[in-house]
Amino acid sequence: MRRTIILAATAALALTVPVTGVTDAQAQRAPRGISAAEARQGAAAHPQLLDEYGGSYGGAQDGYVARIGQRVAAQSGLADAGSAIRVTLLNSPVNNAFAVPGGYVYVTRQLLALMNDEAELAAVLGHEVGHVAARHGASRSRASTFGTLGAVLVGVLTGSSAATQLASQAAQLVTLRYSRSQEYESDDLGVRYLAGAGYDPAAMGRVLAALAAQGALDARLAGRAAQTLPSFASTHPDPGSRVARALSRARQYPGAGREQGRDAFLAALDGLIYGDDPRQGVIEGQAFLHPELRLAFRAPPGFQLTNGTRAVTIAGPGGQAQFAGASFAGDLQAYVERVFAGLSRDGRVAPAGARRGRVNGLDTLSATARVAGQQGPLDVTVTAYAFAPDRAYHVLTVTPAGQGIGPFQPLIDSVRRLSAEEAARIPVREIDIVTVRPGDTPQRLAQNMAFADAQLDRFLVLNGLSADAALRPGDRVKLVVYRR
């Protein structure tokens, strides 16, 4: 969650893509294979996507990733591929890569950390360039990444014109879902680009396998069924079949180069932030800590926290919630009313009353509205906290009718200021490249992983190793450590 935090309903619509702001002259300069309309859409979406995904990472890694993207794009057949494809490394803790119309390709630093060599990076970028070159954006169905609590309301409210408006605008988001045939085609194109660029074409299968392993580990650690992979690795069909298919396609290029570029890749990866960037807040177990905003709260046991660039979502048995903030002029009553107004343009979601209180030295105001849901009536509650004369935050909860705040009472009571000393102690995780020494084993090295649980599993997945892997002295591997 970044320093600029806006109302939940506004945040939910942050990725809508207007086609204004980009001139026809700019669009006409798009290379052959990218239409003027696609160029306008991509150029308009780009700054919004940067904002939604934490911005560009910055530093030497940005240039390195862009160079590999250009090398792969040169194999695509797009006219003037050097300017047709624009690659951005996003400062996001989510494993993902995607492309939008207009030749804009994105990969997150978290996905970069999961890779093990330059060929795997080229595979991911090649897959996304394949979507652009095949113009899949012109025919794919739009699917929302509407992940804030606004999405919850759209899903549960019935007969609400506000929900209809939100859902309609959410359908305009630029994060789109591809068909099975389109994903297969982009896999095939990516393998072809790898071979043409001199990389090992089997890298496509390796990185798909890495994503599947990470997804399975994340699901197990969260106590849920294995989830689908991110947009780059959408599973059509299951991950195992797709990995096998990519490896089979790679064997069709027996004369291709086998460059992997592991040394250069690991050199670029060393010191990369892993997981949450403290500038956007950090999740530690059930706690959310933000050193710059100097705030903290704790989710109830059994609830999962998801940190976004604009808000934190909390979901679990008995309800969902969101922690966010907005402009504040010193009036908590007006603040809460504005939050509700942002959720319902026709006044259908309106609170019946307000309750003032005090939590951990902070003045609060809470109000609840009863709304109609698809499975029955619901309580929507907003609890606002005055942190300073010009700064306030709120927790918005959705629970079954009659429960009010329900299971979120411990969260409501946990919101507090962080001291300067506490803020300074919030850890930063980063990738550390280490050389294997005689006697080192995965079990021994995994003890250095900066996690309280599943250290060995995390180490094996991060390095693409099997459970019985033997390390050789002189090899280099990745660790996640606390920044000193």
Side-chain angles (χ1 to χ4, degrees):
M1 189 174 66
R2 302 169 70 187
R3 179 173 294 279
T4 302
I5 309 175
I6 60 178
L7 288 174
T10 308
L13 303 179
L15 288 181
T16 53
V17 185
V19 295
T20 58
V22 181
T23 67
D24 287 336
Q26 288 174 307
Q28 293 297 337
R29 290 198 294 270
R32 182 167 51 85
I34 295 178
S35 70
E38 289 170 332
R40 286 196 298 269
Q41 187 180 16
H46 179 64
Q48 298 177 62
L49 285 165
L50 287 179
D51 185 60
E52 183 69 17
Y53 281 86
S56 174
Y57 182 70
Q61 288 93 348
D62 277 16
Y64 174 72
V65 171
R67 287 195 300 274
I68 305 309
Q70 295 304 324
R71 177 174 169 179
V72 172
Q75 305 299 317
S76 68
L78 287 167
D80 192 15
S83 60
I85 302 298
R86 304 163 179 85
V87 180
T88 301
L89 177 63
L90 296 169
N91 185 24
S92 170
V94 176
N95 284 306
N96 207 0
F98 56 93
V100 299
Y104 292 83
V105 172
Y106 306 87
V107 60
T108 64
R109 60 171 167 80
Q110 194 75 357
L111 180 53
L112 188 69
L114 184 61
M115 303 172 197
N116 281 285
D117 56 47
E118 189 171 293
E120 292 183 9
L121 171 59
V124 170
L125 297 176
H127 176 97
E128 297 305 333
V129 170
H131 281 309
V132 174
R135 301 196 66 215
H136 289 160
S139 58
R140 61 187 176 174
S141 60
R142 296 180 179 271
S144 169
T145 55
F146 202 44
T148 62
L149 197 61
V152 178
L153 294 177
V154 170
V156 300
L157 297 181
T158 58
S160 168
S161 63
T164 301
Q165 292 164 359
L166 290 175
S168 174
Q169 294 192 54
Q172 301 174 24
L173 301 186
V174 298
T175 300
L176 311 176
R177 181 169 298 161
Y178 298 106
S179 69
R180 178 191 306 191
S181 62
Q182 288 172 334
E183 293 291 358
Y184 279 161
E185 183 178 11
S186 285
D187 284 350
D188 294 347
L189 289 172
V191 170
R192 192 180 82 190
Y193 300 161
L194 283 170
Y199 287 114
D200 179 6
M204 181 68 74
R206 292 201 305 271
V207 75
L208 284 169
L211 276 161
Q214 184 65 59
L217 176 60
D218 289 343
R220 181 166 62 82
L221 293 176
R224 61 181 185 273
Q227 57 189 0
T228 56
L229 298 180
S231 60
F232 159 69
S234 300
T235 51
H236 304 287
D238 66 273
S241 297
R242 192 166 170 198
V243 170
R245 185 180 183 279
L247 292 174
S248 175
R249 289 296 188 271
R251 289 192 289 271
Q252 296 177 4
Y253 299 90
R258 289 294 184 267
E259 180 181 346
Q260 293 186 355
R262 181 170 169 82
D263 289 343
F265 179 81
L266 293 179
L269 202 64
D270 199 23
L272 186 82
I273 292 176
Y274 186 90
D276 292 323
D277 184 336
R279 292 173 295 180
Q280 300 170 359
V282 172
I283 293 173
E284 286 289 330
Q286 294 301 108
F288 177 78
L289 311 166
H290 203 305
E292 290 192 4
L293 300 180
R294 298 277 294 278
L295 64 83
F297 62 85
R298 179 173 290 275
F303 281 73
Q304 181 182 0
L305 294 93
T306 302
N307 187 18
T309 55
R310 300 176 183 274
V312 182
T313 301
I314 306 98
Q320 299 195 41
Q322 185 184 74
F323 185 93
S327 59
F328 179 56
D331 186 343
L332 283 178
Q333 179 77 41
Y335 180 99
V336 169
E337 291 174 354
R338 195 163 67 253
V339 173
F340 277 107
L343 294 173
S344 173
R345 297 179 183 177
D346 59 5
R348 293 287 298 275
V349 183
R355 303 171 296 280
R356 294 189 180 273
R358 195 165 177 83
V359 172
N360 298 319
L362 302 170
D363 289 329
T364 67
L365 188 141
S366 179
T368 300
R370 181 67 51 82
V371 301
Q374 293 177 344
Q375 305 300 321
L378 299 167
D379 284 345
V380 177
T381 302
V382 174
T383 302
Y385 304 80
F387 264 65
D390 61 348
R391 185 155 59 107
Y393 303 102
H394 65 272
V395 177
L396 193 159
T397 66
V398 177
T399 61
Q403 293 192 12
I405 293 172
F408 295 106
Q409 190 64 56
L411 186 157
I412 299 298
D413 293 340
S414 72
V415 177
R416 65 183 181 89
R417 293 187 179 95
L418 282 176
S419 69
E421 293 76 15
E422 289 176 311
R425 290 197 301 268
I426 293 175
V428 183
R429 292 185 175 97
E430 67 179 10
I431 295 292
D432 185 28
I433 306 301
V434 300
T435 300
V436 175
R437 298 174 299 181
D440 278 343
T441 64
Q443 291 77 8
R444 177 178 295 179
L445 290 174
Q447 294 175 4
N448 299 305
M449 294 283 284
F451 297 96
D453 62 344
Q455 289 177 307
L456 177 59
D457 291 337
R458 294 177 191 272
F459 174 82
L460 293 175
V461 170
L462 184 68
N463 288 281
L465 298 172
S466 61
D468 59 352
L471 302 178
R472 298 175 303 179
D475 286 348
R476 293 197 294 167
V477 295
K478 295 177 289 182
L479 292 174
V480 178
V481 301
Y482 290 117
R483 179 172 290 178
R484 297 180 177 83

